[in-house]
Amino acid sequence: MHFLMGLTMLNKLTTLKLSSLFAALMFSMSVAQAAGPVEVFKPDLAKGKEIMQQCVACHGADGNASASIYPKIAGQHAEYLYKQLVNFKPGKDGEKPLRDNAIMAGFAAALSDEDMKNVSAYLAAQKQTLGSAKNKDTLALGEKIYRGGIADKKIPACAGCHSPNGAGIPAQYPRLGGQHAQYTESQLIAFRDGVRNNSEQMTVIANKMSDKEMKAVSDYIAGLR
């Protein structure tokens, strides 16, 4: 008798919980409907091109920097470019930027969120110029690291994230193929030295690499297409 009463009470409590859950779900749906559809940002490429005029001295008119100390940003994924611009800015409480670069910090500081999205979209629509590997003595080592990693140091293959041809994966991993070797090498060093702190994964990898390995894989990457 006590067992049946307890079972009945349990069923009532379960029904009550399900009713409450259903009511909460319906309320959430009604709020979402009342708020209307979420607006998707549509980048203005014309405005992006206008903003890009501030960047010509270092990155070129279309994002293809001629000087190897500056990156080619033409054809780079818009999501990645936007993230980098955000990372050049100080944190909410005045915290140090994740990317410590005085020149870029000055430019990024003047850009609104909309500006950063517009210029990122404009650059993503541009065509990157081709590059080439220049050091035949390290080509084999660079290819080995990029395609197979360094097993004894537990360094994964670069191709696993950045794709076999260096095109990367939009919204996740940047395009590397065709990039200036000097710039790629400088970023590996920046990750290792703590100057660049916006990718824990790359910081771990760079800390395991020797200068020779960084230089070799950077040169190899320059020739990917």
Side-chain angles (χ1 to χ4, degrees):
M1 184 66 177
H2 289 296
F3 171 75
L4 291 175
M5 290 178 65
L7 185 60
T8 301
M9 182 64 70
L10 179 61
N11 288 334
K12 288 182 178 181
L13 288 173
T14 302
T15 301
L16 181 61
K17 287 182 179 179
L18 289 174
S19 298
S20 299
L21 181 61
F22 179 74
L25 178 61
M26 292 302 292
F27 176 74
S28 298
M29 290 175 64
S30 64
V31 170
Q33 290 174 352
V38 177
E39 291 187 14
V40 177
F41 179 79
K42 295 181 179 180
D44 188 325
L45 298 189
K47 288 184 178 179
K49 183 177 181 179
E50 183 179 337
I51 295 168
M52 184 60 196
Q53 299 312 304
Q54 305 172 40
C55 318
V56 172
C58 295
H59 297 289
D62 60 351
N64 282 295
S66 56
S68 60
I69 61 172
Y70 302 118
K72 294 180 184 180
I73 47 181
Q76 185 58 269
H77 308 311
E79 300 89 346
Y80 176 78
L81 291 172
Y82 170 76
K83 179 180 182 294
Q84 303 316 300
L85 286 170
V86 171
N87 290 166
F88 282 121
K89 295 188 174 190
K92 293 181 179 179
D93 299 318
E95 299 170 342
K96 185 178 179 180
L98 294 176
R99 293 193 66 173
D100 189 6
N101 184 298
I103 296 176
M104 283 306 303
F107 281 110
L111 299 177
S112 66
D113 193 68
E114 187 174 289
D115 289 336
M116 293 189 291
K117 290 178 179 178
N118 285 332
V119 74
S120 295
Y122 169 74
L123 286 165
Q126 306 310 302
K127 186 176 181 179
Q128 185 201 64
T129 56
L130 299 177
S132 62
K134 297 178 180 179
N135 192 339
K136 63 179 182 180
D137 295 330
T138 63
L139 195 60
L141 175 60
E143 181 177 17
K144 180 181 178 182
I145 295 171
Y146 190 85
R147 302 197 176 284
I150 307 174
D152 59 343
K153 292 185 178 182
K154 296 183 179 180
I155 293 177
C158 310
C161 293
H162 298 285
S163 78
N165 66 348
I169 302 175
Q172 295 185 58
Y173 303 107
R175 176 191 183 101
L176 296 183
Q179 186 58 264
H180 294 305
Q182 185 177 352
Y183 178 75
T184 299
E185 182 185 359
S186 73
Q187 294 313 293
L188 287 171
I189 293 172
F191 279 122
R192 183 186 65 191
D193 295 349
V195 176
R196 182 171 175 176
N197 294 292
N198 64 342
S199 173
E200 184 178 350
Q201 183 180 11
M202 283 307 305
T203 296
V204 172
I205 290 172
N207 271 287
K208 296 178 181 179
M209 297 181 73
S210 68
D211 290 343
K212 180 180 179 180
E213 289 164 345
M214 287 183 179
K215 189 175 289 293
V217 76
S218 296
D219 185 63
Y220 177 76
I221 285 170
L224 291 174
R225 58 190 66 183

